[in-house]
């Protein structure tokens, strides 16, 4: 039957039903077998999968199928990152319930994932919004609370006075609420944090163990954790008793400080500006900066904004009074949230100083320009040199001066050596409904009256703390949970009197920081996960997801894993052995997105071409790590190749052929066998070595071409000629041809499983292809027997010819002169020279 759209739909639906009914990919832990855990970052259930999902999951599925055929016991699960703000916003927009909306989206997404033929163990499916899952979120939180890793503190948030709710940074557009356009303000709220900083040292140090992670991801994590050795210098606020700690890694530049800069969020700012004539102006500036994304504040190519406070700080090393500024390029997340600005030797300080006409003092002399004056600087000098304008340390090389100045300041009580981390504790509070309730109550009865601990954790036996149902969500007036009296009002577990539930919910990053462990035993109702199951399956052997999660999600997952090890639940410290970050899918040079109107619906492609064609295109168009440009012509090409392969097998495969030893093969038969073994070798190596899936597919295409060439040599009337010009048998060697066709089916099956399962069945195999072992190759068969040589006459190309490798001149002469085209040129003429370049060229001089 031809490979038509109708036939594709029939084939794909047939095999999806078989895989589901036979539970082909269901797996249980088996210590006798070598495991392989392949996992892609699970999706947010928006209802429809997009091409980014298709690419990520197709890559992972090819890996899973390949490892399964190699004999590994493969765990390949799927779930849904189902809590979060998008569902809450959708519920508001469509006047529905987030749970109902999310469930409908999951149902739709599940069907689409099945339609792609992904080899998931569907019995392990999880959704983080299920009570069976978020109950264990709460259990983990309680364990962290017991160990002092979960705590509350006051912090600033984006607050909409109209909607009376907090906003994420991305919901603040030009300083206004995305929903009502009211100006957003900063408001201090008591919120929950996780003390990830307690694990900063191991999170940084253990990056060295991640040998199979992309270097750029490791570097991004190193920079985010940001360990810095330096000194904390005490600057006194002029005419007050307040001390301003300033952290620096460059004590050699202290004598060059000409002003001090505070982050707008610095806790001393309000005190410093209180009562000053410019208090309102400075406050307005702080409010403006608070709406900027932090990425733009630290970007080196954008103009930096600042404002003088009218207050001053005293440099302890020389008594100079320096103006205190507030600027957007200083963040509370690094150091102490305050810097000493040395514009001559720091480029950001230099640009800011030039913009605001602040003084510049050189304290490290550039050896190439020893007489350079500050006003002649075109950029900050950040290289090495000797100290100048540095008091006792003039003439000392600055690298040596770092230690000497730091030691001198410490002895004088001006500073102390310290280590700073860029990493800050993790804020997990969200003033939302659709998230995991935080399992804490606040006693308003006896505990509070008697001055006891009024913040009480919910007992484990009372978990889960369930979200109330059928609650009205408007996006206004604070957390929706405060509207449910049934939820808010409860009993204190300690004294039994009245209590108020915590109405913050957890950030969804909490859900995704341990889901890979839950997949090991998703139906376990007694514990967070089964230790024995986790011991067998974990760590994840191959994790696949977008580079946009290179920092936070991966960092939080590593943090949770180390915490579980401290609890004694696991015996490993890193969750993911190997990491692949796939590239984005582009259309017309831009990332596909609904807002740009440049998306391509996978359903429409599957309807026309089938899932296998889409899978083949998505893997063949670019290496996994690279961006992929959507190309309808290339999609059509993938369809044509699959059609060729399908029709070739249907037409040329014959059952009942007798197995023949490769050693007994000759001529074209031997060459096809060589191509078959070479394809197995190269496809295997391409998949195993950095997942060169595009080149693996290319090698299968080469094998298909070789089979078609081999078949074209068959002639029903005349005997066919072998590679060397001699007569050979007129019939194809069906055994050799069958083996080559079967190899195409098996190799291609990890990329296009539906059509290959169908062909495997058509060729008479009773076992499922998905259960068939990956083929091995014969090293002897790969050894090349023939090469293609160029034939020239009087230096001009006239023909090409396949000849036995390392042929003697005598044999080459016989083969070349037997070629009909060459005979036409040399007939009746004298051959003066027969020039041979071994295995490459023959030049006949007439």
């Amino acid at each position: 039957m031809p490979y038509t759209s109708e036939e594709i739909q029939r084939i794909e639906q047939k095999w999806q039903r078989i895989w589901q009914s036979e539970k082909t990919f269901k797996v249980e832990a088996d210590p006798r077998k070598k495991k392989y855990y392949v996992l892609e970052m699970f999706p947010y259930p928006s209802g429809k999968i997009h091409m980014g999902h298709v690419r990520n999951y197709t890559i992972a599925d090819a890996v899973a199928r390949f490892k399964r055929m190699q004999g590994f016991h493969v765990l390949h699960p799927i779930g849904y990152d189902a809590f979060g703000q998008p569902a809450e916003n959708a519920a508001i927009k469509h006047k529905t319930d987030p749970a109902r909306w999310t469930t409908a989206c999951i149902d739709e997404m599940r069907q689409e994932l099945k339609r792609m033929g992904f080899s998931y163990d569907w019995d392990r499916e999880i959704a983080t919004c299920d009570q069976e899952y978020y109950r264990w979120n709460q259990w983990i939180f309680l364990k962290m609370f017991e160990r002092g890793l979960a705590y509350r503190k006051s912090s600033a948030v984006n607050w909409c006075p109209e909607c009376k709710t907090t906003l994420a940074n991305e919901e603040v557009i030009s300083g206004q609420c995305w929903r009502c356009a009211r100006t957003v303000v900063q408001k201090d709220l008591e919120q929950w944090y996780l003390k990830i900083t307690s694990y900063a040292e191991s999170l940084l140090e253990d990056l060295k163990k991640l040998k199979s992670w992309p270097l750029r991801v490791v570097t991004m994590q190193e920079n985010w954790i940001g360990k810095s050795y330096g000194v904390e210098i005490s600057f006194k606020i002029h005419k007050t008793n307040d001390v301003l700690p300033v952290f620096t890694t460059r004590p050699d530049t202290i004598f060059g400080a000409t002003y001090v800069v505070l982050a707008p969020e610095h806790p001393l700012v309000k005190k410093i500006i209180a009562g000053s004539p410019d208090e309102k102006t400075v406050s307005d500036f702080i409010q403006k900066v608070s709406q900027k994304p932090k990425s733009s504040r630290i970007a080196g190519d954008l103009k930096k904004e600042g404002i003088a406070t009218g207050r001053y700080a005293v440099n302890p090393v020389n008594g100079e009074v320096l103006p205190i500024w507030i600027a957007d390029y200083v963040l509370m997340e690094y150091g102490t949230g305050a810097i000493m600005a040395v514009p001559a030797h720091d480029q950001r300080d230099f640009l800011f100083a030039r913009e605001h006409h602040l003084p510049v003092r050189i304290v490290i002399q550039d050896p190439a320009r020893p007489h350079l004056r500050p006003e002649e600087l075109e950029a900050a000098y950040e290289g090495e040199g000797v100290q100048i304008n540095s008091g006792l340390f003039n003439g000392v090389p600055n690298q040596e001066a770092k230690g000497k100045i730091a030691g001198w300041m410490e002895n004088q009580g001006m500073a102390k050596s310290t280590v700073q981390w860029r990493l800050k504790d993790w804020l997990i509070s969200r003033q939302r409904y659709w998230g995991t309730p935080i399992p804490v109550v606040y006693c308003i009865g006896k505990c509070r009256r008697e001055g006891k601990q009024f913040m009480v954790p919910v007992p484990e036996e009372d978990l889960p703390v369930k979200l109330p149902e059928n609650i009205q969500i408007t996006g206004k007036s604070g957390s929706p949970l405060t509207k449910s009296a049934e939820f808010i009002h409860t009993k204190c577990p300690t004294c039994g009197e009245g209590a108020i539930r915590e109405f913050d919910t957890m950030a969804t990053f909490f859900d995704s920081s341990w889901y890979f462990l839950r997949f090991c035993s998703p139906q376990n109702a007694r514990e967070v996960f089964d230790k024995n199951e986790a011991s067998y399956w974990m760590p994840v052997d191959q994790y696949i997801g977008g580079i946009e999660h290179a920092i936070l999600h991966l960092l939080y997952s590593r943090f949770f894993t180390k915490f579980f090890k401290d609890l004694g639940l696991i015996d490993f410290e890193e969750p993911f052995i190997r990491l692949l970050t796939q590239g984005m899918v582009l259309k017309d040079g831009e990332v596909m997105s609904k807002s740009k109107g440049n998306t391509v619906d996978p359903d429409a492609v599957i309807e026309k071409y089938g899932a296998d064609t889409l899978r083949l295109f998505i893997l063949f168009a670019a290496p996994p790590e690279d961006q992929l440009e959507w190309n309808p012509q290339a999609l059509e090409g993938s369809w044509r190749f699959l059609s060729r392969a399908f029709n070739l097998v249907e037409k040329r495969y014959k059952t009942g052929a007798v197995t023949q030893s490769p050693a007994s093969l000759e001529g074209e038969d031997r060459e096809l066998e060589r191509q078959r073994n070479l394809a197995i070798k190269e496809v295997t190596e391409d998949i195993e070595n950095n997942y060169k899936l595009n080149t693996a597919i290319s090698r299968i295409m080469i094998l298909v071409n070789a089979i078609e060439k081999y078949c074209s040599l068959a002639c029903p009337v005349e005997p066919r000629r072998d590679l060397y010009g001699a007569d050979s048998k007129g019939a194809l060697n069906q055994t050799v041809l069958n083996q080559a066709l079967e190899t195409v089916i098996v190799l291609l099956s990890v990329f296009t499983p539906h059509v290959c399962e169908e062909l495997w069945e058509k060729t008479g195999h009773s076992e499922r292809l998905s259960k068939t072992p990956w083929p091995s190759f014969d090293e002897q068969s790969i050894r090349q027997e023939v090469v293609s040589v160029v034939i020239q006459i009087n230096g001009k190309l006239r023909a090409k010819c396949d000849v036995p490798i390392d042929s003697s001149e005598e044999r080459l002469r016989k083969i070349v002169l037997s070629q009909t085209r060459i005979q036409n040129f040399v007939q009746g003429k004298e051959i003066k020279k027969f020039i041979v370049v071994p295995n490459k060229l023959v030049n006949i001089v007439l």
Side-chain angles (χ1 to χ4, degrees):
M1 183 178 292
Y3 193 64
T4 62
S5 294
E6 293 76 14
E7 179 68 355
I8 293 167
Q9 299 303 324
R10 184 194 69 79
I11 290 171
E12 294 187 350
Q13 290 169 17
K14 167 188 170 180
W15 286 103
Q16 287 160 18
R17 285 194 302 270
I18 289 172
W19 293 333
Q20 182 170 332
S21 64
E22 295 182 353
K23 294 186 179 293
T24 303
F25 309 112
K26 180 178 173 59
V27 68
E28 300 291 347
D30 186 345
R32 298 168 299 176
K33 297 179 180 179
K34 188 174 181 180
K35 68 91 180 182
Y36 195 89
Y37 187 175
V38 58
L39 181 68
E40 51 267 53
M41 294 180 186
F42 63 172
Y44 172 77
S46 58
K48 300 279 287 184
I49 63 171
H50 53 67
M51 284 301 171
H53 290 131
V54 169
R55 190 176 196 202
N56 185 356
Y57 304 157
T58 303
I59 293 168
D61 194 60
V63 174
R65 289 177 179 274
F66 172 69
K67 289 296 180 182
R68 204 176 279 117
M69 296 177 82
Q70 279 193 317
F72 286 90
H73 209 42
V74 174
L75 174 59
H76 187 206
I78 189 64
Y80 310 94
D81 196 7
F83 270 142
Q85 182 182 334
E88 195 160 317
N89 290 342
I92 295 169
K93 180 179 178 181
H94 298 280
K95 294 181 172 54
T96 186
D97 177 66
R100 191 175 300 112
W101 172 269
T102 302
T103 300
C105 287
I106 288 175
D107 291 342
E108 187 172 357
M109 183 169 275
R110 182 188 300 113
Q111 291 307 116
E112 292 197 311
L113 293 172
K114 288 185 176 181
R115 197 175 184 192
M116 284 297 300
F118 297 137
S119 58
Y120 296 130
D121 179 352
W122 285 101
D123 286 353
R124 293 178 183 265
E125 183 184 29
I126 61 174
T128 59
C129 63
D130 290 343
Q131 293 175 11
E132 293 78 8
Y133 187 89
Y134 74 71
R135 166 193 179 183
W136 297 109
N137 279 350
Q138 294 170 345
W139 181 88
I140 296 167
F141 177 91
L142 292 177
K143 293 300 176 186
M144 290 188 172
F145 185 78
E146 287 174 10
R147 288 158 177 76
L149 295 176
Y151 67 95
R152 278 170 63 89
K153 74 173 182 179
S154 179
S155 60
V157 296
N158 300 317
W159 180 262
C160 175
E162 175 67 23
C163 298
K164 293 182 172 56
T165 188
T166 58
L167 302 173
N169 284 338
E170 58 269 21
E171 293 179 308
V172 180
I173 303 171
S174 301
Q176 296 178 323
C177 173
W178 70 281
R179 187 180 291 117
C180 70
R182 178 76 179 270
T183 299
V184 173
V185 299
Q186 290 289 292
K187 182 176 180 179
D188 287 335
L189 284 182
E190 285 277 328
Q191 300 190 91
W192 284 96
Y193 286 80
L194 298 184
K195 203 169 186 181
I196 190 174
T197 51
S198 295
Y199 288 81
E201 193 71 60
S202 61
L203 287 169
L204 180 64
E205 190 64 25
D206 287 350
L207 287 171
K208 297 173 184 176
K209 300 176 182 178
L210 304 177
K211 304 297 185 184
S212 297
W213 279 35
L215 179 59
R216 66 171 177 162
V217 175
V218 173
T219 301
M220 291 165 76
Q221 292 231 341
E222 285 176 344
N223 293 339
W224 188 262
I225 297 168
K227 185 178 184 180
S228 300
Y229 296 93
V231 292
E232 188 177 286
I233 307 170
S234 298
F235 283 72
K236 289 186 177 180
I237 307 296
H238 190 47
K239 297 183 178 179
T240 74
N241 293 321
D242 293 321
V243 175
L244 177 64
V246 171
F247 174 77
T248 182
T249 60
R250 295 290 308 275
D252 54 322
T253 65
I254 178 68
F255 289 91
T258 59
Y259 60 100
V260 172
V261 188
L262 303 184
E265 305 87 354
H266 197 287
L268 272 178
V269 166
K270 289 183 179 179
K271 186 174 183 180
I272 289 173
I273 66 173
S276 73
D278 299 323
E279 181 176 359
K280 184 177 187 310
T281 304
V282 175
S283 297
D284 290 344
F285 171 79
I286 292 170
Q287 181 61 37
K288 175 185 173 184
V289 171
S290 70
Q291 310 310 323
K292 286 186 177 183
K294 289 177 182 177
S295 57
S296 69
R297 286 175 57 181
I298 62 175
D301 57 345
L302 298 178
K303 180 181 176 181
K304 304 307 172 194
E305 295 186 273
I307 191 169
T309 65
R311 302 292 192 236
Y312 296 85
V314 179
N315 188 336
V317 300
N318 55 19
E320 286 189 351
V321 177
L322 309 179
I324 299 175
W325 282 68
I326 297 169
D328 60 357
Y329 72 96
V330 179
L331 304 179
M332 276 306 300
E333 282 82 353
Y334 181 73
T336 62
I339 66 165
M340 60 175 202
V342 186
H345 306 293
D346 181 277
Q347 184 62 15
R348 290 191 306 171
D349 294 344
F350 176 81
L351 295 174
F352 190 83
R354 285 284 188 258
E355 178 72 25
H356 298 281
H357 310 290
L358 293 163
V360 177
R361 180 186 301 135
I362 297 173
V363 293
I364 299 171
Q365 190 176 69
D366 182 354
R369 298 184 295 174
H371 304 295
L372 190 68
R373 294 179 298 176
E375 58 270 22
E376 296 172 332
L377 279 174
E378 297 176 354
Y381 177 65
E382 297 177 334
E384 296 185 13
V386 298
Q387 300 288 142
I388 60 174
N389 302 320
S390 300
L392 297 171
F393 303 97
N394 285 339
V396 179
N398 76 296
Q399 291 297 333
E400 182 182 337
K402 283 183 179 179
K404 288 187 173 181
I405 293 175
W408 172 72
M409 286 193 295
E410 201 158 10
N411 288 335
Q412 298 295 316
M414 304 173 185
K416 61 180 179 180
S417 297
T418 186
V419 174
Q420 287 283 347
W421 300 86
R422 185 176 183 271
L423 180 67
K424 301 300 179 185
D425 284 344
W426 172 15
L427 170 63
I428 65 161
S429 281
R430 296 294 183 269
Q431 290 73 44
R432 307 285 180 216
Y433 165 73
W434 195 234
T436 300
I438 293 175
V440 168
V441 303
Y442 303 93
C443 180
I444 55 175
K446 183 178 179 181
C447 297
R448 194 177 190 102
R449 288 195 307 271
E450 295 181 355
K452 297 177 181 177
Q453 174 65 33
F454 74 97
M455 185 167 63
V456 183
V458 174
E460 288 182 25
E461 58 269 22
D462 292 341
L463 299 182
V465 176
K466 299 178 183 179
L467 283 171
E469 297 178 356
N470 302 316
I471 191 168
Q472 185 179 10
I473 303 172
T474 64
K476 299 182 178 183
S477 302
S479 170
L481 289 177
T482 61
K483 312 294 189 303
S484 172
E486 182 181 356
F487 176 83
I488 288 294
H489 298 291
T490 186
K491 298 291 184 182
C492 172
T494 302
C495 70
E497 295 190 17
I500 301 295
R501 286 198 189 278
E502 171 62 70
F503 50 80
D504 280 357
T505 52
M506 298 182 194
T508 56
F509 272 125
F510 199 108
D511 309 342
S512 60
S513 295
W514 68 283
Y515 76 110
F516 42 87
L517 282 158
R518 186 64 181 173
F519 274 136
C520 296
S521 49
Q523 278 84 42
N524 193 325
R526 303 181 312 278
E527 51 197 342
V528 62
F529 53 81
D530 185 285
K531 290 173 63 174
N532 293 328
E533 297 277 343
S535 177
Y536 176 73
W537 291 115
M538 289 293 294
V540 174
D541 295 277
Q542 179 63 66
Y543 198 36
I544 303 173
I547 192 69
E548 66 272 19
H549 299 297
I551 298 177
L552 296 183
H553 164 61
L554 292 175
L555 187 68
Y556 297 153
S557 298
R558 296 179 62 225
F559 163 49
F560 269 53
T561 301
K562 294 178 188 304
F563 174 68
F564 284 132
K565 185 174 188 296
D566 287 349
L567 288 182
L569 298 181
I570 55 177
D571 59 3
F572 52 89
E573 294 178 332
E574 290 294 330
F576 313 120
I577 295 173
R578 190 173 179 180
L579 176 68
L580 172 65
T581 53
Q582 88 281 355
M584 297 284 193
V585 181
L586 312 180
K587 187 180 180 188
D588 302 324
E590 293 189 316
V591 176
M592 284 189 183
S593 72
K594 292 179 182 178
S595 62
K596 294 175 183 175
N598 66 345
T599 58
V600 176
D601 183 4
D603 275 345
V605 177
I606 294 171
E607 200 65 39
K608 182 177 180 181
Y609 295 104
D612 279 346
T613 296
L614 178 55
R615 290 170 63 118
L616 189 68
F617 162 75
I618 216 87
L619 297 176
F620 183 57
E625 299 89 348
D626 292 357
Q627 292 179 329
L628 184 154
E629 180 70 37
W630 183 259
N631 185 336
Q633 288 73 37
L635 182 68
E636 189 75 34
S638 294
W639 152 265
R640 287 195 299 270
F641 170 72
L642 272 185
S643 181
R644 275 175 56 206
F646 186 89
N647 294 330
L648 181 64
V649 174
E650 281 215 317
K651 180 180 179 182
R652 293 294 184 177
Y653 192 91
K654 301 290 188 295
T655 58
V658 179
T659 302
Q660 188 172 355
S661 170
S664 65
L665 301 177
E666 296 179 354
E668 298 99 329
D669 300 335
R670 188 170 185 82
E671 175 60 14
L672 182 58
E673 179 67 6
R674 189 182 77 84
Q675 288 290 345
R676 184 183 77 85
N677 280 275
L678 195 59
I680 295 171
K681 179 179 186 294
E682 293 182 354
V683 170
T684 303
E685 290 174 349
D686 281 346
I687 298 176
E688 287 187 330
N689 299 333
N690 299 320
Y691 302 131
K692 299 173 184 175
L693 305 181
N694 57 322
T695 57
I697 293 169
S698 178
R699 191 60 191 80
I700 298 171
M701 291 177 173
I702 292 171
L703 178 57
V704 169
N705 291 341
I707 294 171
E708 289 178 333
K709 179 182 177 181
Y710 176 80
C711 292
S712 71
L713 295 172
C715 179
V717 179
E718 299 177 5
R720 60 187 170 126
R721 311 278 285 179
D722 73 9
L723 296 171
Y724 319 130
D727 286 347
S728 65
K729 299 175 182 178
L732 294 170
N733 186 320
Q734 193 62 51
T735 298
V736 173
L737 180 56
N738 278 4
Q739 287 175 338
L741 290 169
E742 287 182 357
T743 298
V744 168
I745 297 170
V746 175
L747 298 183
L748 196 58
S749 69
V750 300
F751 309 114
T752 59
H754 305 89
V755 65
C756 291
E757 284 275 20
E758 183 73 6
L759 289 173
W760 196 247
E761 186 179 70
K762 281 176 177 288
T763 52
H765 295 87
S766 57
E767 78 281 8
R768 301 295 185 215
L769 179 55
S770 50
K771 303 291 186 182
T772 299
W774 188 255
S776 58
F777 61 89
D778 176 33
E779 197 70 56
Q780 279 298 108
S781 296
I782 290 174
R783 193 169 66 86
Q784 191 169 0
E785 300 289 335
V786 298
V787 291
S788 181
V789 297
V790 170
I791 305 173
Q792 296 177 342
I793 296 181
N794 292 339
K796 293 185 178 180
L797 175 64
R798 296 302 184 188
K800 290 183 179 180
C801 181
D802 289 338
V803 302
I805 196 166
D806 298 328
S807 294
S808 66
E809 182 176 332
E810 181 183 354
R811 190 172 189 188
L812 279 174
R813 180 184 286 265
K814 179 182 177 182
I815 294 171
V816 169
L817 293 180
S818 70
Q819 305 294 312
T820 303
R821 181 171 173 78
I822 300 304
Q823 289 175 353
N824 293 336
F825 282 102
V826 302
Q827 191 171 15
K829 298 176 183 177
E830 178 187 354
I831 297 177
K832 289 186 176 181
K833 292 182 181 179
F834 193 86
I835 303 168
V836 175
V837 178
N839 298 323
K840 291 184 179 179
L841 177 143
V842 170
N843 185 20
I844 302 171
V845 180
L846 300 178

